[in-house]
């Protein structure tokens, strides 16, 4: 389901933010989607369940459950996609097929051909001699092929075929080395180092971006350079490894906070650099992509900050939730995984241009309702490099199906991270997982679908051909400095500085176009937990021409220690928006009460919060759904 055309029309006829829309959006284009091959499914994960009858070449079987499965991006020729699989059912050693077990890095064919052994896949990490992989890190997510083609990022490891293309027959297990990645964070270099997560490599194959949880329930983002260390003297592991050096914390020490208090007023600073979670780099590597502080209430978006200048751009603005993103190598397009085809978040975020004030306490809850447990509501959306604007909200990559069970646009098959462009920009690879119990079945109103994938697999890799496109050359890769000029150097021993927080108090916010909002922000903390409350009253408030807000909203969020991810939310809302749209956002008598955990994402609410935009009503998900 797309947003109603009335909403699109209304948005299309106005200026976008404070910038006038100057660049016309692209026309929709033809896209054909096919499924890519994976190893065959074994009936169980018992030893030997991957029989010769199932795989006559004895090169491994996978299970039905998604487990740690993850598909990544293409090899430089665009003919293969790198995938982290979990092999199951291997026979015991010394059977040669015993090496096809556990989490392994494979390439799958994206051009309909087979490798020389006859399989449409090839394992890169199976059977690598132990002396070539002396400290394999257990983290094996977000697989990525380096542009050099002879190496891959595999979680916290670099798999290296020593100058030989990973896809070629010359890249054998004996030739392959796997090195762990180490991030020295102690001043003397001792210990296992920091715990990076969600590593994303810069297109120069040398620099890395990542996120890492801070001790207090927050997260910070970093940028550094990979440096091979053949003989480390300190830190764990003491084996040949890649060190992350010249690390910057992606915080501008002299920059603005997303919301700042000055003389009794709150300012919402759209030029603030707010790298909440790092998502990768643009196609040329000139920008860092990230989930940033919202510009609109309950609307989570992806932003870009220029590596050299610190200039910030908002890439997505659709009210729905966005997270994974990948740019084309020519830097002209990006594809995001977004809940926009599902309408999942419209009950909270469908009214546009509410400033992100209650979000000071409610942002975790607002981003937690996007999932039902492991069910994401993502689908891949193709957007040009200038991002959502006016009535343009990109094009769903897999819209062309009949919606039937197992079809390319079956809404029960949900997108996962990360999508990827072929280097020539003519194809997109992405993967999906089928909704499974307990996100369906039982008490859940959604019956569990039966997988139509081979062997009843509940995950699949898809390839979208952008059939009207011609191959494009990659953009020149931006030369990035080791230390980002606007960021904070983060040498070993450094600690993450406390971020600016708006102090509790009563404030005025002036609309960018007109009106004011009166804001009261209060906080209570005890050994048992903390409660933050934001109350806002809008009087003809407008951040966007033609969108005038009146009414009030009050949100209290309680976090009880030690479960910092558990949010107990009390919400009352009575908002009216007039002008180019007629919209309301209202809670039922007695308010809307939600309890949700940011890690488990199980929706449990009493009362309702309903958004109506030009007569179209958006309601919250059912409890547990
Ligand atoms: C690739 O191998 C599969 C069997 O694994 C076979 O069915 C298919 O025909 C082969 N494709 C080509 C192009 O040879
Ligand atoms: C790999 O090297 C080992 C010795 O280092 C050798 O015994 C083995 O036959 C080689 N395997 C292949 C497939 O070349
Ligand atoms: C970058 O790290 C290297 C150590 O690997 C160090 O020699 C160099 O001085 C660092 N550069 C800067 C700009 O800090
Ligand atoms: C904000 O205003 C309310 C009443 O308008 C008052 O009770 C409260 O103490 C004020 N808060 C602060 C921090 O000044
Ligand atoms: C909002 O603007 C309208 C029209 O100018 C005016 O009649 C009304 O009194 C204003 N309301 C508030 C709360 O300022
Ligand atoms: C909803 O109401 C039930 C019954 O009164 C109560 O047990 C539960 O805690 C409430 N849930 C929320 C999120 O308020």
């Amino acid at each position: 389901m797309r947003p109603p055309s009335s909403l699109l029309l209304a948005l299309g006829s106005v200026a976008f933010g404070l910038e006038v829309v100057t660049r016309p959006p692209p026309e929709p284009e033809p896209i054909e989607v096919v499924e890519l091959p994976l190893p065959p499914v074994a009936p169980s994960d018992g030893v030997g369940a991957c029989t010769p009858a199932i795989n006559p070449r004895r090169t491994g079987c996978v299970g039905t459950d998604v487990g740690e499965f993850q598909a990544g991006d293409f090899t430089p020729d665009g003919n293969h996609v790198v995938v982290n699989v979990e092999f199951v059912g291997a026979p015991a050693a010394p059977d040669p097929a015993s090496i096809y077990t556990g989490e392994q890095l494979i390439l799958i064919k994206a051009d309909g051909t087979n490798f020389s052994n006859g399989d449409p896949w090839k394992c890169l990490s199976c059977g690598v001699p132990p002396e070539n992989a002396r400290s394999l890190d257990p983290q094996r997510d977000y697989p990525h092929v380096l542009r050099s083609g002879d190496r891959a990022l595999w979680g916290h490891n670099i798999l290296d075929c020593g100058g030989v293309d990973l896809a070629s027959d010359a890249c054998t297990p004996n030739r392959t080395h796997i090195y762990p990645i180490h991030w020295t964070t102690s001043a003397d270099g001792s210990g296992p180092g920091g715990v990076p997560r969600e590593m994303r490599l810069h297109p120069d194959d040398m620099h890395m971006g990542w996120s890492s949880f801070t001790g207090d329930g927050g997260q910070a983002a970093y940028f550094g350079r990979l440096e091979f260390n053949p003989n480390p003297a300190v830190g764990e592991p003491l084996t040949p490894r890649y060190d992350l050096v010249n690390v910057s914390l992606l915080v501008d020490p002299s920059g603005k906070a997303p919301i700042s208090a000055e003389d009794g007023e709150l300012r919402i600073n759209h030029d603030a650099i707010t790298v909440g979670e790092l998502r990768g780099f643009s196609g040329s590597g000139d920008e860092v992509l990230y989930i940033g502080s919202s510009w609109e209430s309950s609307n989570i978006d992806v932003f870009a900050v220029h590596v050299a200048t610190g200039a910030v751009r908002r890439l997505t603005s659709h009210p729905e939730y966005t997270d994974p993103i990948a740019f084309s190598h020519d830097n002209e397009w990006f594809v995001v995984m977004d809940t926009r085809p599902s309408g999942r978040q419209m009950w909270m975020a469908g009214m546009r241009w509410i400033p992100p004030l209650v979000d000071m306490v409610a942002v975790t809850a607002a981003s937690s309702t996007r999932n039902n447990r492991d069910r994401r509501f993502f689908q891949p959306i193709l957007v040009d490099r200038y991002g959502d604007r006016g009535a343009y909200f990109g094009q769903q990559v897999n819209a062309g199906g009949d919606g039937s069970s197992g079809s390319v646009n079956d809404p029960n098959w949900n997108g996962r991270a990360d999508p990827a462009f072929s280097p020539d920009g003519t194809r997109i690879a992405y993967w999906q997982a089928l909704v499974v119990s307990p996100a369906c079945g039982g008490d859940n109103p959604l019956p569990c679908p039966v997988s139509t994938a081979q062997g009843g697999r509940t995950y699949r890799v898809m390839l979208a051909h952008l059939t009207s496109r011609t191959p494009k050359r990659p953009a020149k890769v931006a030369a990035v400095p080791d230390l980002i000029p606007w960021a904070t150097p983060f040498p070993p021993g450094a600690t993450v500085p406390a971020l600016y927080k708006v102090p509790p108090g009563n404030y005025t916010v002036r609309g960018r176009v007109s009106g004011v909002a009166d804001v009261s922000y209060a906080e209570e903390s005890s050994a048992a937990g903390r409660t933050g409350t934001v109350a806002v009253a809008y009087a003809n408030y407008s951040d966007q021409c033609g969108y005038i807000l009146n009414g009030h909203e009050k949100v209290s969020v309680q976090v009880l220690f030690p479960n910092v991810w558990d949010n107990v939310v009390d919400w009352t809302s009575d908002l009216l928006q007039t002008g180019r749209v007629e919209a309301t956002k209202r809670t039922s008598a007695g308010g809307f009460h939600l309890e949700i955990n940011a890690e488990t994402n199980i929706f449990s609410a009493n009362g309702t919060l309903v958004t109506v935009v030009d007569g179209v009503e958006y309601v919250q998900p059912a409890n547990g759904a």
Side-chain angles (χ1 to χ4, degrees):
M1 188 183 68
R2 297 203 146 257
S5 54
S6 53
L7 177 62
L8 299 181
L9 280 176
L11 293 169
S13 51
V14 299
F16 175 70
L18 292 184
E19 300 152 40
V20 172
V21 175
T22 50
R23 197 166 293 269
E27 292 296 322
E29 62 185 288
I31 305 179
E32 283 170 19
V33 179
V34 296
E35 186 177 346
L36 291 179
L38 286 171
V41 168
S44 81
D45 55 8
V47 174
C50 181
T51 61
I54 295 169
N55 182 345
R57 275 181 283 271
R58 321 283 348 257
T59 48
C61 295
V62 296
T64 50
D65 294 349
V66 62
E68 301 298 323
F69 180 90
Q70 223 174 349
D73 55 7
F74 291 80
T75 53
D77 61 11
N79 293 334
H80 315 84
V81 172
V82 69
V83 174
N84 182 54
V85 291
E86 275 186 83
F87 279 118
V88 301
D95 188 312
S98 63
I99 61 173
Y100 296 96
T101 189
E103 269 187 83
Q104 303 285 357
L105 190 69
I106 70 171
L107 291 179
I108 59 174
K109 283 283 185 181
D111 62 354
T113 68
N114 289 326
F115 286 97
S116 61
N117 73 349
D119 285 332
W121 73 92
K122 167 189 173 174
C123 187
L124 298 172
S125 57
C126 301
V128 171
E131 64 273 21
N132 288 9
R134 287 169 56 195
S135 267
L136 190 53
D137 191 287
Q139 193 65 42
R140 319 244 170 112
D141 54 1
Y142 299 99
H144 161 82
V145 179
L146 273 65
R147 293 207 178 176
S148 63
D150 66 335
R151 281 167 291 159
L153 174 66
W154 184 30
H156 297 176
N157 301 284
I158 301 280
L159 181 143
D160 185 342
C161 221
V164 167
D165 253 10
L166 297 176
S168 77
D169 282 343
C171 179
T172 59
N174 273 10
R175 192 173 181 115
T176 303
H177 287 79
I178 308 174
Y179 303 110
I181 297 171
H182 173 86
W183 173 24
T184 299
T185 48
S186 60
D188 65 1
S190 64
V195 184
R197 58 187 298 272
E198 306 249 343
M199 296 197 130
R200 301 294 195 282
L201 202 64
H202 188 271
D204 69 5
D205 283 357
M206 268 191 315
H207 289 91
M208 184 81 83
W210 68 94
S211 303
S212 183
F213 291 126
T214 55
D216 57 359
Q219 181 165 226
Y222 303 84
F223 176 87
R225 185 164 56 79
L226 276 176
E227 188 173 77
F228 186 62
N229 187 346
N231 191 17
V234 65
E236 299 159 24
L238 281 176
T239 54
R241 68 187 191 205
Y242 277 91
D243 287 331
L244 290 165
V245 301
N246 300 137
V247 176
S248 303
L249 173 70
L250 295 184
V251 169
D252 179 355
S254 57
K256 291 175 187 159
I259 302 184
S260 55
E262 275 167 64
D263 306 325
E265 290 193 14
L266 290 184
R267 304 262 163 80
I268 300 163
N269 303 308
H270 286 178
D271 53 350
I273 301 169
T274 62
V275 189
E277 188 170 86
L278 188 133
R279 300 282 81 197
F281 296 94
S282 62
S284 71
D286 62 339
E287 290 174 308
V288 175
L289 315 176
Y290 62 96
I291 300 175
S293 297
S294 299
W295 285 14
E296 295 177 67
S297 191
S298 302
N299 180 1
I300 312 291
D301 285 311
V302 178
F303 297 80
V305 57
H306 197 274
V307 173
T309 66
V312 168
R313 305 198 284 141
R314 183 186 185 187
L315 296 179
T316 59
S317 57
H318 191 285
E320 287 287 339
Y321 179 95
T322 307
D323 182 331
I325 180 170
F327 255 78
S328 62
H329 293 202
D330 72 355
N331 223 15
E332 293 298 323
W333 296 85
F334 62 84
V335 57
V336 280
M337 284 292 176
D338 194 296
T339 60
R340 64 186 70 173
S342 72
R344 175 86 183 170
Q345 295 283 86
M346 295 297 281
W347 61 284
M348 264 189 150
M351 183 189 274
R352 300 292 311 270
W353 311 114
I354 305 174
L357 295 167
V358 300
D359 303 63
M360 290 194 284
V361 296
V363 69
T364 302
S367 67
S368 301
T369 54
R370 72 179 194 275
N371 292 342
N372 175 17
R373 303 172 164 91
D374 282 341
R375 180 178 190 194
R376 320 289 197 255
F377 290 81
F378 286 147
Q379 297 300 344
I381 312 290
L382 175 66
V383 187
D384 78 8
R385 67 167 272 107
Y386 305 100
D388 290 335
R389 57 195 183 274
Y392 174 63
F393 290 118
Q395 175 178 1
Q396 185 180 343
V397 169
N398 59 337
D402 61 9
S404 64
S405 175
S407 62
V408 300
N409 61 343
D410 177 351
N412 287 330
W413 281 95
N414 290 190
R416 300 291 292 266
D418 273 346
F421 272 92
S422 66
D424 71 359
T426 63
R427 282 156 297 152
I428 292 166
Y430 63 94
W431 72 282
Q432 295 173 307
L434 186 64
V435 59
V436 295
S437 173
C440 57
D443 293 343
N444 198 297
L446 178 70
C448 282
V450 175
S451 172
T452 56
Q454 192 270 323
R457 227 193 309 111
T458 57
Y459 51 97
R460 63 184 189 182
V461 185
M462 309 302 279
L463 182 74
H465 293 258
L466 308 173
T467 53
S468 62
R469 295 193 178 198
T470 51
K472 291 287 180 330
R473 295 182 64 81
K476 186 170 185 292
V477 174
V480 292
D482 278 344
L483 293 173
I484 293 186
W486 49 261
T488 308
F490 198 79
T495 52
V496 178
L499 287 184
Y500 171 86
K501 279 197 71 189
V502 170
N506 293 326
Y507 300 99
T508 304
V509 184
R510 290 175 201 284
R512 283 161 191 263
V513 177
S514 71
V516 291
D518 287 323
V519 182
S520 153
Y521 175 40
E523 233 182 35
E524 270 175 65
S525 281
S526 71
R530 62 168 186 267
T531 304
T533 303
V534 178
V536 192
Y538 294 101
N540 285 340
Y541 181 95
S542 178
D543 272 347
Q544 180 78 8
C545 280
Y547 292 79
I548 301 153
L549 266 178
N550 281 287
H552 54 85
E553 202 165 31
K554 181 175 180 182
V555 181
S556 274
V557 178
Q558 189 184 27
V559 174
L560 293 177
F561 302 143
N563 301 323
V564 291
W565 300 115
D566 249 334
N567 279 232
V568 180
V569 180
D570 295 302
W571 192 308
T572 52
S573 221
D574 186 4
L575 296 181
L576 172 68
Q577 190 170 57
T578 50
R580 299 191 190 247
V581 289
E582 182 88 22
T584 57
K585 184 174 183 178
R586 289 193 178 120
T587 46
S588 52
F592 166 72
H593 310 281
L594 171 71
E595 195 171 341
I596 195 154
N597 179 292
E599 292 189 311
T600 55
N601 307 86
I602 302 171
F603 191 91
S604 168
N606 291 327
T608 59
L609 171 60
V610 177
T611 292
V612 180
V613 181
D614 283 339
V616 180
E617 187 178 80
Y618 299 100
V619 300
Q620 72 215 38
N623 284 348

